[in-house]
């Protein structure tokens, strides 16, 4: 394991300590628990609050999207492990302005259980909570069983849309509704070339040969849909987009936003080589790229690989995508 | 070699093709040479133009900083190889508004030779050219021989300062002067944990054991000042900052900007763990961190490692650091 860290047991807390030293005007903890982070100015008056959370190891997911035009609070677990219901509840109380709280997170067992418990605790305090699960990973469950799918890079689009709607003063039900609409238009699939190592475990999360790749692997190393020889960038783009097209609502004349996300160790040069083919395929299909995001938005530490996410847009979603956002890890300038 | 690419011979051109598909409103080529890129709106009227260039494999360096408030043109070589003087001259002609062109690039033999030839060609066309070399890598040559040092992540601060001064309407000599002042206040040192692989070569640029690191290694794998056992994040931060303090003009009461730069495969979590210690050391020394940039700003493809850059600020440099900037890879929002 080759990492620039101190004691592996302190990986998450020291990362958060660094974060708080770097962005003291933007983020703060709830009480003295480093794992409960909120916007410095929370609760934001007359605004629906948005909370997310999950395991560490995916920066900028999750905590990187807390800030203006995006999220209000985040609950941080150990690497690839869910935070607790009590922590989620604490963040919920801290960010609620009276207008209610949207729980917006990826569909993983531990997170679902704990956020559900937290929402019950919050409701006993008369805090309104709505939950929207992100289930964008096409590879994680077949068509017809979309509700079983994992949430991956599509979280970024979901945060952006929900955050913009909340910032515009919408009610909780409206924020939830437009986020669900966006999610019905979002599909992601990825490819992994190498594993990552959980600091406290000290060995790679899986093994993969030097000449292999795995299409559809999850961001914690969950099995994908095909392991085979490493293909070319163009072939990988074709394979992934074919699966996304077969599954999702993308047809000629549509406008989409494309998120080309690096998983950690894959250089930006390679993302642009893939984007070249993605743009060509979408153009051939008569689908217009309205906006693109190319970079590391949802990672697995030092895993090599990338994912492609499409968000089909209508006028409302375009406006929300283009609304201001500013967090320590993300701003509107990332959306080109 | 495990990369998401097509034919290794097409690595650079396909990367640029992807870039032009992603950012067609912001960048264009000069003629049909993909390796000569300029701002879409070049030449910008009544503005000193700034050109840079060098080998590929360092995104966002170099081409990622072409845009508003930063650079006007870039000349792109093969991976880790200099572009030609003719290409530099072509870009120079394309971006000059009549107010002259600043050549601002890292101190590498091939780049120096070719930019010098290009400046001679430009001067025969009565285009004024000034050259400022970036030599921020403390590890690459001892104190007293600063002019022999390589340029690394400090390029980003140099681009920002020069770009802001040019955007404010300054004359060529003024842009060069303030950039030189900034550079006299900039020091960088890095650490490498793993090599990268040049696509056309197909094997790693150097070998390093699983339990080793090399302090001061250059971004092309040039030898550093010490290879030894992998130390903790805190020890690495202490070692690097001690070398920077011994060399540079940083004393109690100063204000600095800190750039904590990932070389490619090192996760952002680790950068924040290092930042935690950097902030502590600077605080103990009575040096105030005015701004920070934490992320991947000057990479070596999939190399693991990071570098620390300090820029000592005065009021003029603060204003220039805080001036607007917007490119496909960088915006003012990156500076927190």
């Amino acid at each position: 394991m080759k990492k620039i860290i101190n004691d592996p047991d302190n990986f998450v807390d020291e990362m958060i300590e660094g974060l708080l030293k770097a962005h003291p005007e933007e983020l703060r903890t709830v009480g003295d628990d480093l794992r409960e982070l909120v916007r410095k100015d929370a609760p934001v008056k007359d605004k629906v609050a948005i909370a997310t959370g999950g395991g560490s190891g995916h920066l900028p997911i999750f905590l990187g999207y807390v800030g203006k035009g995006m999220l209000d609070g985040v609950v941080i677990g150990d690497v690839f492990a869910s935070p607790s219901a009590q922590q989620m509840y604490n963040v919920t109380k801290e960010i609620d302005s009276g207008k209610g709280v949207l729980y917006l997170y990826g569909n993983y067992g531990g997170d679902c259980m704990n956020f559900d418990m937290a929402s019950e605790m919050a409701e006993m305090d008369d805090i309104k909570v709505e939950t929207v699960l992100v289930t964008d990973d096409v590879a994680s469950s077949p068509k017809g069983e979309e509700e079983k799918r994992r949430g991956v890079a599509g979280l970024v689009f979901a945060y952006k849309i929900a955050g913009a709607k909340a910032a515009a003063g919408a009610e909780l039900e409206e924020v939830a509704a437009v986020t669900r609409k966006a999610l019905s238009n979002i599909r992601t699939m990825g490819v992994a070339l190498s594993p990552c190592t959980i600091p406290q475990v000290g060995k790679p999360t899986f093994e993969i040969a030097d000449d292999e790749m795995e299409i559809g692997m999850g961001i914690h190393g969950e099995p994908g849909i095909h392991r085979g020889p490493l293909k070319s960038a163009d072939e990988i783009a074709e394979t992934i987009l074919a699966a996304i097209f077969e599954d999702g609502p993308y047809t000629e004349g549509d406008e989409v936003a494309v998120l080309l996300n690096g998983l950690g160790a894959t250089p930006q040069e390679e993302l642009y080589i893939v984007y070249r083919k993605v743009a060509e395929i979408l153009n051939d299909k008569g689908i217009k790229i309205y906006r693109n995001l190319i970079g590391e938005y949802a990672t697995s530490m030092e895993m090599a690989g990338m994912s492609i996410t499409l968000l089909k847009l209508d006028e409302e979603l375009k406006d929300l995508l283009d609304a201001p956002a500013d967090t320590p890890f993300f701003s509107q300038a990332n959306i080109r």
Side-chain angles (χ1 to χ4, degrees), chain A residues 257-280:
Chain A
V258 175
L259 166 54
L260 229 162
N261 174 57
L263 292 181
T266 289
Q268 289 211 55
E269 284 83 359
E270 298 177 27
L271 299 183
Y272 275 93
I273 289 173
V274 174
Y275 187 81
R276 169 184 169 275
K277 187 66 183 179
V278 168
E280 185 185 306

PDB file of all heavy atoms in Angstrom, chain A residues 257-280:
ATOM      1  N   ALA A 257     -26.511  16.525 -20.873  1.00  0.00           N
ATOM      2  CA  ALA A 257     -25.235  16.888 -20.246  1.00  0.00           C
ATOM      3  C   ALA A 257     -24.458  15.593 -20.078  1.00  0.00           C
ATOM      4  O   ALA A 257     -25.025  14.546 -19.746  1.00  0.00           O
ATOM      5  CB  ALA A 257     -25.468  17.550 -18.897  1.00  0.00           C
ATOM      6  N   VAL A 258     -23.160  15.669 -20.340  1.00  0.00           N
ATOM      7  CA  VAL A 258     -22.278  14.500 -20.230  1.00  0.00           C
ATOM      8  C   VAL A 258     -21.307  14.726 -19.075  1.00  0.00           C
ATOM      9  O   VAL A 258     -20.648  15.763 -19.014  1.00  0.00           O
ATOM     10  CB  VAL A 258     -21.459  14.302 -21.522  1.00  0.00           C
ATOM     11  CG1 VAL A 258     -20.459  13.165 -21.350  1.00  0.00           C
ATOM     12  CG2 VAL A 258     -22.371  14.039 -22.707  1.00  0.00           C
ATOM     13  N   LEU A 259     -21.239  13.753 -18.190  1.00  0.00           N
ATOM     14  CA  LEU A 259     -20.218  13.767 -17.145  1.00  0.00           C
ATOM     15  C   LEU A 259     -19.245  12.638 -17.423  1.00  0.00           C
ATOM     16  O   LEU A 259     -19.613  11.463 -17.403  1.00  0.00           O
ATOM     17  CB  LEU A 259     -20.854  13.576 -15.759  1.00  0.00           C
ATOM     18  CG  LEU A 259     -19.918  13.241 -14.591  1.00  0.00           C
ATOM     19  CD1 LEU A 259     -18.793  14.257 -14.450  1.00  0.00           C
ATOM     20  CD2 LEU A 259     -20.705  13.140 -13.291  1.00  0.00           C
ATOM     21  N   LEU A 260     -18.001  13.015 -17.714  1.00  0.00           N
ATOM     22  CA  LEU A 260     -16.955  12.016 -17.923  1.00  0.00           C
ATOM     23  C   LEU A 260     -16.059  12.055 -16.699  1.00  0.00           C
ATOM     24  O   LEU A 260     -15.302  13.005 -16.501  1.00  0.00           O
ATOM     25  CB  LEU A 260     -16.181  12.359 -19.190  1.00  0.00           C
ATOM     26  CG  LEU A 260     -16.033  11.152 -20.094  1.00  0.00           C
ATOM     27  CD1 LEU A 260     -15.682  11.545 -21.478  1.00  0.00           C
ATOM     28  CD2 LEU A 260     -15.036  10.223 -19.489  1.00  0.00           C
ATOM     29  N   ASN A 261     -16.197  11.053 -15.883  1.00  0.00           N
ATOM     30  CA  ASN A 261     -15.637  11.065 -14.539  1.00  0.00           C
ATOM     31  C   ASN A 261     -14.457  10.115 -14.378  1.00  0.00           C
ATOM     32  O   ASN A 261     -14.583   8.922 -14.647  1.00  0.00           O
ATOM     33  CB  ASN A 261     -16.754  10.653 -13.562  1.00  0.00           C
ATOM     34  CG  ASN A 261     -16.259  10.482 -12.152  1.00  0.00           C
ATOM     35  OD1 ASN A 261     -15.687  11.415 -11.580  1.00  0.00           O
ATOM     36  ND2 ASN A 261     -16.439   9.293 -11.603  1.00  0.00           N
ATOM     37  N   GLY A 262     -13.342  10.653 -13.930  1.00  0.00           N
ATOM     38  CA  GLY A 262     -12.186   9.804 -13.625  1.00  0.00           C
ATOM     39  C   GLY A 262     -12.316   9.208 -12.231  1.00  0.00           C
ATOM     40  O   GLY A 262     -12.725   9.886 -11.293  1.00  0.00           O
ATOM     41  N   LEU A 263     -11.958   7.932 -12.093  1.00  0.00           N
ATOM     42  CA  LEU A 263     -12.132   7.258 -10.802  1.00  0.00           C
ATOM     43  C   LEU A 263     -11.002   7.540  -9.821  1.00  0.00           C
ATOM     44  O   LEU A 263     -11.113   7.202  -8.651  1.00  0.00           O
ATOM     45  CB  LEU A 263     -12.274   5.749 -11.006  1.00  0.00           C
ATOM     46  CG  LEU A 263     -13.550   5.304 -11.705  1.00  0.00           C
ATOM     47  CD1 LEU A 263     -13.585   3.785 -11.838  1.00  0.00           C
ATOM     48  CD2 LEU A 263     -14.781   5.771 -10.933  1.00  0.00           C
ATOM     49  N   GLY A 264      -9.917   8.115 -10.299  1.00  0.00           N
ATOM     50  CA  GLY A 264      -8.856   8.475  -9.353  1.00  0.00           C
ATOM     51  C   GLY A 264      -7.494   8.543 -10.014  1.00  0.00           C
ATOM     52  O   GLY A 264      -6.873   9.590 -10.056  1.00  0.00           O
ATOM     53  N   ALA A 265      -7.021   7.431 -10.556  1.00  0.00           N
ATOM     54  CA  ALA A 265      -5.662   7.395 -11.112  1.00  0.00           C
ATOM     55  C   ALA A 265      -5.633   7.628 -12.614  1.00  0.00           C
ATOM     56  O   ALA A 265      -4.558   7.747 -13.186  1.00  0.00           O
ATOM     57  CB  ALA A 265      -5.006   6.056 -10.798  1.00  0.00           C
ATOM     58  N   THR A 266      -6.779   7.676 -13.241  1.00  0.00           N
ATOM     59  CA  THR A 266      -6.786   7.853 -14.696  1.00  0.00           C
ATOM     60  C   THR A 266      -6.571   9.323 -15.054  1.00  0.00           C
ATOM     61  O   THR A 266      -7.321  10.181 -14.601  1.00  0.00           O
ATOM     62  CB  THR A 266      -8.113   7.321 -15.280  1.00  0.00           C
ATOM     63  OG1 THR A 266      -8.092   5.895 -15.175  1.00  0.00           O
ATOM     64  CG2 THR A 266      -8.282   7.719 -16.742  1.00  0.00           C
ATOM     65  N   PRO A 267      -5.538   9.608 -15.852  1.00  0.00           N
ATOM     66  CA  PRO A 267      -5.219  11.003 -16.175  1.00  0.00           C
ATOM     67  C   PRO A 267      -6.305  11.679 -17.003  1.00  0.00           C
ATOM     68  O   PRO A 267      -7.044  11.025 -17.748  1.00  0.00           O
ATOM     69  CB  PRO A 267      -3.936  10.889 -17.013  1.00  0.00           C
ATOM     70  CG  PRO A 267      -3.381   9.539 -16.737  1.00  0.00           C
ATOM     71  CD  PRO A 267      -4.566   8.665 -16.427  1.00  0.00           C
ATOM     72  N   GLN A 268      -6.347  12.999 -16.895  1.00  0.00           N
ATOM     73  CA  GLN A 268      -7.315  13.781 -17.664  1.00  0.00           C
ATOM     74  C   GLN A 268      -7.097  13.611 -19.162  1.00  0.00           C
ATOM     75  O   GLN A 268      -8.042  13.706 -19.939  1.00  0.00           O
ATOM     76  CB  GLN A 268      -7.207  15.262 -17.304  1.00  0.00           C
ATOM     77  CG  GLN A 268      -7.728  15.579 -15.917  1.00  0.00           C
ATOM     78  CD  GLN A 268      -8.316  16.982 -15.844  1.00  0.00           C
ATOM     79  OE1 GLN A 268      -9.197  17.339 -16.616  1.00  0.00           O
ATOM     80  NE2 GLN A 268      -7.830  17.763 -14.915  1.00  0.00           N
ATOM     81  N   GLU A 269      -5.855  13.394 -19.585  1.00  0.00           N
ATOM     82  CA  GLU A 269      -5.602  13.162 -21.004  1.00  0.00           C
ATOM     83  C   GLU A 269      -6.488  12.021 -21.514  1.00  0.00           C
ATOM     84  O   GLU A 269      -7.069  12.096 -22.604  1.00  0.00           O
ATOM     85  CB  GLU A 269      -4.125  12.788 -21.236  1.00  0.00           C
ATOM     86  CG  GLU A 269      -3.147  13.946 -21.170  1.00  0.00           C
ATOM     87  CD  GLU A 269      -2.726  14.309 -19.749  1.00  0.00           C
ATOM     88  OE1 GLU A 269      -3.206  13.679 -18.787  1.00  0.00           O
ATOM     89  OE2 GLU A 269      -1.921  15.251 -19.606  1.00  0.00           O
ATOM     90  N   GLU A 270      -6.570  10.941 -20.732  1.00  0.00           N
ATOM     91  CA  GLU A 270      -7.363   9.792 -21.163  1.00  0.00           C
ATOM     92  C   GLU A 270      -8.855  10.115 -21.180  1.00  0.00           C
ATOM     93  O   GLU A 270      -9.592   9.656 -22.049  1.00  0.00           O
ATOM     94  CB  GLU A 270      -7.056   8.580 -20.266  1.00  0.00           C
ATOM     95  CG  GLU A 270      -5.587   8.168 -20.374  1.00  0.00           C
ATOM     96  CD  GLU A 270      -5.194   7.014 -19.451  1.00  0.00           C
ATOM     97  OE1 GLU A 270      -6.056   6.193 -19.094  1.00  0.00           O
ATOM     98  OE2 GLU A 270      -4.004   6.943 -19.080  1.00  0.00           O
ATOM     99  N   LEU A 271      -9.294  10.916 -20.218  1.00  0.00           N
ATOM    100  CA  LEU A 271     -10.714  11.303 -20.209  1.00  0.00           C
ATOM    101  C   LEU A 271     -11.057  12.060 -21.490  1.00  0.00           C
ATOM    102  O   LEU A 271     -12.140  11.873 -22.067  1.00  0.00           O
ATOM    103  CB  LEU A 271     -11.038  12.151 -18.987  1.00  0.00           C
ATOM    104  CG  LEU A 271     -10.819  11.504 -17.612  1.00  0.00           C
ATOM    105  CD1 LEU A 271     -11.253  12.463 -16.506  1.00  0.00           C
ATOM    106  CD2 LEU A 271     -11.562  10.174 -17.483  1.00  0.00           C
ATOM    107  N   TYR A 272     -10.149  12.914 -21.937  1.00  0.00           N
ATOM    108  CA  TYR A 272     -10.425  13.669 -23.168  1.00  0.00           C
ATOM    109  C   TYR A 272     -10.383  12.759 -24.401  1.00  0.00           C
ATOM    110  O   TYR A 272     -11.124  12.984 -25.365  1.00  0.00           O
ATOM    111  CB  TYR A 272      -9.477  14.865 -23.303  1.00  0.00           C
ATOM    112  CG  TYR A 272     -10.017  16.059 -22.544  1.00  0.00           C
ATOM    113  CD1 TYR A 272      -9.650  16.302 -21.232  1.00  0.00           C
ATOM    114  CD2 TYR A 272     -10.953  16.906 -23.128  1.00  0.00           C
ATOM    115  CE1 TYR A 272     -10.184  17.377 -20.523  1.00  0.00           C
ATOM    116  CE2 TYR A 272     -11.495  17.978 -22.432  1.00  0.00           C
ATOM    117  CZ  TYR A 272     -11.099  18.208 -21.135  1.00  0.00           C
ATOM    118  OH  TYR A 272     -11.642  19.266 -20.442  1.00  0.00           O
ATOM    119  N   ILE A 273      -9.533  11.748 -24.375  1.00  0.00           N
ATOM    120  CA  ILE A 273      -9.525  10.783 -25.488  1.00  0.00           C
ATOM    121  C   ILE A 273     -10.872  10.047 -25.537  1.00  0.00           C
ATOM    122  O   ILE A 273     -11.445   9.833 -26.615  1.00  0.00           O
ATOM    123  CB  ILE A 273      -8.339   9.802 -25.334  1.00  0.00           C
ATOM    124  CG1 ILE A 273      -7.023  10.557 -25.612  1.00  0.00           C
ATOM    125  CG2 ILE A 273      -8.490   8.605 -26.264  1.00  0.00           C
ATOM    126  CD1 ILE A 273      -5.758   9.752 -25.333  1.00  0.00           C
ATOM    127  N   VAL A 274     -11.389   9.697 -24.383  1.00  0.00           N
ATOM    128  CA  VAL A 274     -12.714   9.049 -24.341  1.00  0.00           C
ATOM    129  C   VAL A 274     -13.799  10.042 -24.765  1.00  0.00           C
ATOM    130  O   VAL A 274     -14.709   9.696 -25.537  1.00  0.00           O
ATOM    131  CB  VAL A 274     -13.008   8.494 -22.930  1.00  0.00           C
ATOM    132  CG1 VAL A 274     -14.435   7.957 -22.856  1.00  0.00           C
ATOM    133  CG2 VAL A 274     -12.011   7.406 -22.559  1.00  0.00           C
ATOM    134  N   TYR A 275     -13.681  11.280 -24.290  1.00  0.00           N
ATOM    135  CA  TYR A 275     -14.714  12.273 -24.626  1.00  0.00           C
ATOM    136  C   TYR A 275     -14.819  12.473 -26.136  1.00  0.00           C
ATOM    137  O   TYR A 275     -15.910  12.670 -26.676  1.00  0.00           O
ATOM    138  CB  TYR A 275     -14.421  13.613 -23.954  1.00  0.00           C
ATOM    139  CG  TYR A 275     -15.544  14.593 -24.153  1.00  0.00           C
ATOM    140  CD1 TYR A 275     -16.675  14.543 -23.351  1.00  0.00           C
ATOM    141  CD2 TYR A 275     -15.511  15.524 -25.191  1.00  0.00           C
ATOM    142  CE1 TYR A 275     -17.734  15.402 -23.554  1.00  0.00           C
ATOM    143  CE2 TYR A 275     -16.572  16.396 -25.410  1.00  0.00           C
ATOM    144  CZ  TYR A 275     -17.678  16.330 -24.589  1.00  0.00           C
ATOM    145  OH  TYR A 275     -18.733  17.166 -24.801  1.00  0.00           O
ATOM    146  N   ARG A 276     -13.667  12.442 -26.790  1.00  0.00           N
ATOM    147  CA  ARG A 276     -13.632  12.568 -28.259  1.00  0.00           C
ATOM    148  C   ARG A 276     -14.597  11.561 -28.899  1.00  0.00           C
ATOM    149  O   ARG A 276     -15.385  11.906 -29.787  1.00  0.00           O
ATOM    150  CB  ARG A 276     -12.197  12.314 -28.720  1.00  0.00           C
ATOM    151  CG  ARG A 276     -11.986  12.143 -30.195  1.00  0.00           C
ATOM    152  CD  ARG A 276     -10.513  11.810 -30.435  1.00  0.00           C
ATOM    153  NE  ARG A 276     -10.297  11.373 -31.803  1.00  0.00           N
ATOM    154  CZ  ARG A 276     -10.466  10.120 -32.213  1.00  0.00           C
ATOM    155  NH1 ARG A 276     -10.847   9.182 -31.362  1.00  0.00           N
ATOM    156  NH2 ARG A 276     -10.244   9.811 -33.476  1.00  0.00           N
ATOM    157  N   LYS A 277     -14.554  10.324 -28.422  1.00  0.00           N
ATOM    158  CA  LYS A 277     -15.413   9.289 -29.003  1.00  0.00           C
ATOM    159  C   LYS A 277     -16.861   9.451 -28.527  1.00  0.00           C
ATOM    160  O   LYS A 277     -17.802   9.247 -29.310  1.00  0.00           O
ATOM    161  CB  LYS A 277     -14.882   7.902 -28.614  1.00  0.00           C
ATOM    162  CG  LYS A 277     -15.595   6.753 -29.299  1.00  0.00           C
ATOM    163  CD  LYS A 277     -15.332   6.761 -30.789  1.00  0.00           C
ATOM    164  CE  LYS A 277     -16.089   5.653 -31.504  1.00  0.00           C
ATOM    165  NZ  LYS A 277     -15.836   5.706 -32.968  1.00  0.00           N
ATOM    166  N   VAL A 278     -17.039   9.807 -27.279  1.00  0.00           N
ATOM    167  CA  VAL A 278     -18.398  10.016 -26.751  1.00  0.00           C
ATOM    168  C   VAL A 278     -19.108  11.092 -27.573  1.00  0.00           C
ATOM    169  O   VAL A 278     -20.271  10.932 -27.986  1.00  0.00           O
ATOM    170  CB  VAL A 278     -18.343  10.413 -25.258  1.00  0.00           C
ATOM    171  CG1 VAL A 278     -19.701  10.914 -24.772  1.00  0.00           C
ATOM    172  CG2 VAL A 278     -17.882   9.227 -24.408  1.00  0.00           C
ATOM    173  N   ALA A 279     -18.413  12.186 -27.836  1.00  0.00           N
ATOM    174  CA  ALA A 279     -19.009  13.286 -28.603  1.00  0.00           C
ATOM    175  C   ALA A 279     -19.352  12.823 -30.018  1.00  0.00           C
ATOM    176  O   ALA A 279     -20.399  13.182 -30.571  1.00  0.00           O
ATOM    177  CB  ALA A 279     -18.046  14.476 -28.648  1.00  0.00           C
ATOM    178  N   GLU A 280     -18.490  11.998 -30.592  1.00  0.00           N
ATOM    179  CA  GLU A 280     -18.723  11.482 -31.950  1.00  0.00           C
ATOM    180  C   GLU A 280     -19.959  10.574 -31.976  1.00  0.00           C
ATOM    181  O   GLU A 280     -20.813  10.698 -32.856  1.00  0.00           O
ATOM    182  CB  GLU A 280     -17.473  10.722 -32.398  1.00  0.00           C
ATOM    183  CG  GLU A 280     -17.494  10.213 -33.814  1.00  0.00           C
ATOM    184  CD  GLU A 280     -16.243   9.366 -34.091  1.00  0.00           C
ATOM    185  OE1 GLU A 280     -15.117   9.855 -33.861  1.00  0.00           O
ATOM    186  OE2 GLU A 280     -16.423   8.199 -34.515  1.00  0.00           O
TER     187      GLU A 280
END
